[in-house]
Amino acid sequence: MSEKSESFVLRRRAVVAAILDGRGDTLVVAGLGSAAWDVTAAGDHPLNFPMWGAMGGSVAFALGLALAQPERRVLVLSGDGDLLMGLGSLATVAVQRPANLAVVALDNERYGETGMQETATAAGVDLTAIARGCGFPLARTVRSEAELAAAIPEIRSASGPAFFTVKVRAEKLPLALPPKDGTVLKNRFRRALLGEEAG
Amino acid sequence: MAETAATWPDDIFEVFRQMGIRQVAYVPDAGHTRLIDLCRADNRIRAVGLTTEEDGVALLAGAWLGGQRGALLMQSSGVGNCINMLSLVTQCRFPLLSVVTMRGQWGEFNPWQIPMGQNSGEQLRLAGTVVYPVEEGSRVGETVEAAARIDFEGGVSAAVLIGQRVIGTKTFGGAALEESEP
């Protein structure tokens, strides 16, 4: 077993804030739990869709959005637990090859909302290798500040589908909760993206 | 006897065209073979093969968020895979149009199809979906159209369950009953 995730260098809130800094018109999907709180801590935004449930569904959800909006960057920020539940969706994305979709796995090797139990990545399961094996043309693992700085331009604009595992420290952080009402999240997103009549 | 010249898949496709369906997600089912082929051949429709049906629920919610209508094709066994993901649809009031080909109903030879085949409608209702069973091939098209309207105009999940009697028990691979595919 390698280094424990409690001592990983990168901190998830700073990672997400750096990725979303100057996000422009990027469409952001956040998987349930800590990823949704991280995205909200970086600044609530009408073009955020933070999940409160639907575990395993963030990537497939973002794929439907990316196919519907091929001119816009679609970014998934999600945890290893959510992504492990929906591994098959990585195969589906790779087959569809949406150039505008990037997936960032905030991998702390823990189920953060349920007591910090280890996920399969703590035992060595490699999400980047899985994405590469599915056929993502770009798949990378980020462990340091320098690697993050190099990856951010790719996360924002590299031709995808692109997959990044960012190894982040296992830590309990203050909650930063987005709106909980799903119709509010949906309607404000559609208005911001499609115009007032779309809400 | 099997309806070898059944037109209901073409009827569904025509409804999809009229309703402006742009993404069709599916886990293949023998009963949906022709409809899947029609969708894959049409460059106005993005056909997305899934590894599990619940991904289709999420995919089509995302499509709607981005301004596109979609439909999910599956067989009755796939309904069980969708249940928790339907919470995304009900909580956010995303429309979801599902077209389900039923197994485990009419002369089914595989008993493992019976649990979902006999209970898909109730399970979908419990998960907040409006359910339209249809047992006549000639009524499939109009039923899908009705479901699509309540979906996209009402912001709900609606599923059309096409009875195994419509699909034809013996059409699966054209094989004899005891040789049919699982």
Side-chain angles (χ1 to χ4, degrees):
Chain A
M1 188 67 59
S2 57
E3 178 189 19
K4 287 283 191 183
S5 58
E6 285 80 1
S7 55
F8 286 174
V9 174
L10 294 174
R11 313 283 296 272
R12 58 187 309 138
R13 289 277 162 91
V15 167
V16 171
I19 291 170
L20 294 179
D21 183 38
R23 57 183 279 173
D25 63 1
T26 301
L27 311 179
V28 176
V29 174
L32 82 169
S34 298
W37 320 150
D38 296 336
V39 166
T40 305
D44 190 31
H45 194 290
L47 293 178
N48 288 351
F49 197 91
M51 304 266 188
W52 282 83
M55 188 163 176
S58 63
V59 171
F61 182 84
L63 174 60
L65 177 59
L67 294 177
Q69 289 288 328
E71 304 303 319
R72 300 289 282 266
R73 191 68 168 179
V74 176
L75 174 60
V76 181
L77 293 153
S78 192
D80 42 314
D82 174 60
L83 293 167
L84 286 163
M85 191 173 281
L87 285 179
S89 62
L90 297 179
T92 303
V93 166
V95 171
Q96 294 296 323
R97 292 186 85 82
N100 58 328
L101 179 63
V103 180
V104 174
L106 299 160
D107 183 6
N108 67 350
E109 306 183 351
R110 298 288 188 277
Y111 290 103
E113 302 305 304
T114 57
M116 299 298 272
Q117 298 90 346
E118 291 186 347
T119 66
T121 61
V125 170
D126 183 341
L127 293 169
T128 297
I130 292 168
R132 188 178 297 125
C134 286
F136 276 66
L138 173 57
R140 224 184 275 301
T141 297
V142 170
R143 293 178 175 276
S144 68
E145 292 287 355
E147 289 169 349
L148 178 66
I152 283 176
E154 296 179 317
I155 292 169
R156 291 178 181 163
S157 60
S159 183
F163 189 96
F164 301 85
T165 299
V166 182
K167 289 288 189 179
V168 294
R169 182 176 300 180
E171 55 183 340
K172 290 300 286 183
L173 294 164
L175 297 175
L177 302 180
K180 194 182 291 184
D181 185 330
T183 62
V184 169
L185 294 168
K186 178 195 67 175
N187 291 335
R188 74 175 191 173
F189 193 112
R190 279 173 53 92
R191 286 193 194 101
L193 175 61
L194 304 167
E196 282 302 314
E197 67 282 359
Chain B
M1 290 300 292
E3 296 182 42
T4 51
T7 62
W8 59 265
D10 301 74
D11 298 340
I12 295 174
F13 183 68
E14 185 56 31
V15 173
F16 283 1
R17 294 279 303 281
Q18 288 174 4
M19 298 299 291
I21 298 291
R22 299 289 307 281
Q23 294 188 34
V24 173
Y26 62 92
V27 173
D29 176 58
H32 273 319
T33 300
R34 175 158 174 79
L35 179 56
I36 290 168
D37 287 345
L38 288 168
C39 292
R40 286 174 58 89
D42 189 321
N43 60 16
R44 286 162 293 191
I45 290 176
R46 185 71 170 242
V48 181
L50 306 165
T51 60
T52 179
E53 293 83 355
E54 67 198 273
D55 284 352
V57 176
L59 179 102
L60 297 175
W64 178 260
L65 194 69
Q68 288 191 343
R69 294 179 172 187
L72 174 60
L73 313 181
M74 59 184 156
Q75 71 166 236
S76 44
S77 55
V79 169
N81 292 347
C82 293
I83 298 301
N84 182 54
M85 203 59 75
L86 288 169
S87 61
L88 169 67
V89 170
T90 54
Q91 280 301 302
C92 303
R93 291 182 59 83
F94 281 112
L96 176 68
L97 174 62
S98 303
V99 183
V100 182
T101 43
M102 299 302 295
R103 296 282 307 270
Q105 284 186 328
W106 188 263
E108 176 63 60
F109 80 100
N110 180 350
W112 291 36
Q113 288 282 356
I114 293 172
M116 286 310 305
Q118 290 295 318
N119 299 299
S120 287
E122 284 309 301
Q123 293 184 11
L124 284 167
R125 284 189 193 95
L126 288 169
T129 293
V130 181
V131 177
Y132 295 86
V134 56
E135 296 292 340
E136 295 174 56
S138 62
R139 295 193 180 279
V140 169
E142 67 186 31
T143 307
V144 172
E145 183 177 354
R149 290 196 184 285
I150 203 168
D151 264 323
F152 299 121
E153 292 168 19
V156 298
S157 170
V160 176
L161 309 187
I162 303 173
Q164 194 169 14
R165 193 174 186 179
V166 173
I167 297 157
T169 306
K170 293 178 75 173
T171 62
F172 296 112
L177 270 178
E178 62 272 20
E179 294 169 350
S180 296
E181 69 179 54

